[in-house]
């Protein structure tokens, strides 16, 4: 999912501030914690994105949940975002911050879709293949899709390596239905 321009700007600003303060890893941990709490709690998602609930009430809720656990930089940043009326974008800002952290560290993002859950040895070899494709470190997001029948689809940046049975069957079907090799008979 692409983040909004505002979310990207807020995330880059927070990253720059954390970098200047030497607290990037601590702020990253705060952001990841925020994401996990919000993704596990639909009521909190609804409260944060609700246009009916005033910003001061949202700030009080966020303070009650996160202030004791967050770094001062993260807490003040959340207050700024809420004061600007951008609290509905906090989840996007968090995603953009994590993306910016990976970009700054030279870690590319990849996606691995497999027909069944992967064994540790297979996962390790596929991550090595992804890092070879990318020419550096890769952070892989895994997903299981039984419609692949077997195999996997590995995507890193704009490069896709498809070794799924479904794709191979589709290509075989296309080859079997291709009748371009049959000579045409001209009826005169």
């Amino acid at each position: 999912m692409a983040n909004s321009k505002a979310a990207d700007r807020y995330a880059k600003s927070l990253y720059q501030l954390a970098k200047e303060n030497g607290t990037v890893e601590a702020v990253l941990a705060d952001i990841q914690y925020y994401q996990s709490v919000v993704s596990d709690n639909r009521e909190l998602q609804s409260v944060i994105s609700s246009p009916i609930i005033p910003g001061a009430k949202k700030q009080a809720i966020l303070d009650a949940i996160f202030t004791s656990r967050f770094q001062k930089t993260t807490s003040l940043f959340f207050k700024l975002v809420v004061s600007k009326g951008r609290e509905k974008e906090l989840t996007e800002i968090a995603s953009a911050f994590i993306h910016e952290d990976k970009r700054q560290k030279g870690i590319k993002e990849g996606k691995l879709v497999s027909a069944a859950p992967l064994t540790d040895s297979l996962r390790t070899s596929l991550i090595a293949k992804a890092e070879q494709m990318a020419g550096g470190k890769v952070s892989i997001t895994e997903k299981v899709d039984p419609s692949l029948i077997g195999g996997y689809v590995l995507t890193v940046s704009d490069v896709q390596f498809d070794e799924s049975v479904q794709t191979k069957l589709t290509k075989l079907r296309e080859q079997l239905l291709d009748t371009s090799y049959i000579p045409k008979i001209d009826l005169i």
Side-chain angles (χ1 to χ4, degrees), residues 16-17 30 35 47 63 131 147:
Q16 191 63 37
L17 180 63
D30 291 346
Q35 270 193 328
V47 167
D63 285 346
E131 289 176 348
S147 71

Side-chain angles (χ1 to χ4, degrees), residues 81-101:
V81 171
V82 172
S83 73
K84 298 293 184 184
R86 297 279 191 170
E87 62 275 358
K88 345 180 222 309
E89 294 186 52
L90 277 171
T91 303
E92 280 187 74
I93 293 169
S95 295
F97 183 87
I98 292 169
H99 179 76
E100 179 67 14
D101 180 62

Side-chain angles (χ1 to χ4, degrees), residues 58-125:
K58 292 177 187 179
Q59 185 61 56
I61 292 168
L62 290 171
D63 285 346
I65 297 171
F66 298 110
T67 298
S68 64
R69 185 169 189 316
F70 278 4
Q71 295 287 315
K72 184 178 180 183
T73 303
T74 313
S75 294
L76 291 173
F77 178 78
F78 273 46
K79 286 180 182 174
L80 172 72
V81 171
V82 172
S83 73
K84 298 293 184 184
R86 297 279 191 170
E87 62 275 358
K88 345 180 222 309
E89 294 186 52
L90 277 171
T91 303
E92 280 187 74
I93 293 169
S95 295
F97 183 87
I98 292 169
H99 179 76
E100 179 67 14
D101 180 62
K102 289 177 183 175
R103 191 184 70 75
Q104 291 284 334
K105 292 176 180 173
I107 300 172
K108 294 191 168 80
E109 295 187 45
K111 184 176 177 183
L112 177 60
V113 182
S114 60
L118 299 173
T119 63
D120 289 338
S121 62
L122 184 58
R123 179 179 295 109
T124 303
S125 68

Side-chain angles (χ1 to χ4, degrees), residues 3 15 42 47 150 159 177 179:
N3 296 314
Y15 191 88
R42 294 190 68 113
V47 167
V159 180
L177 293 176
T179 60

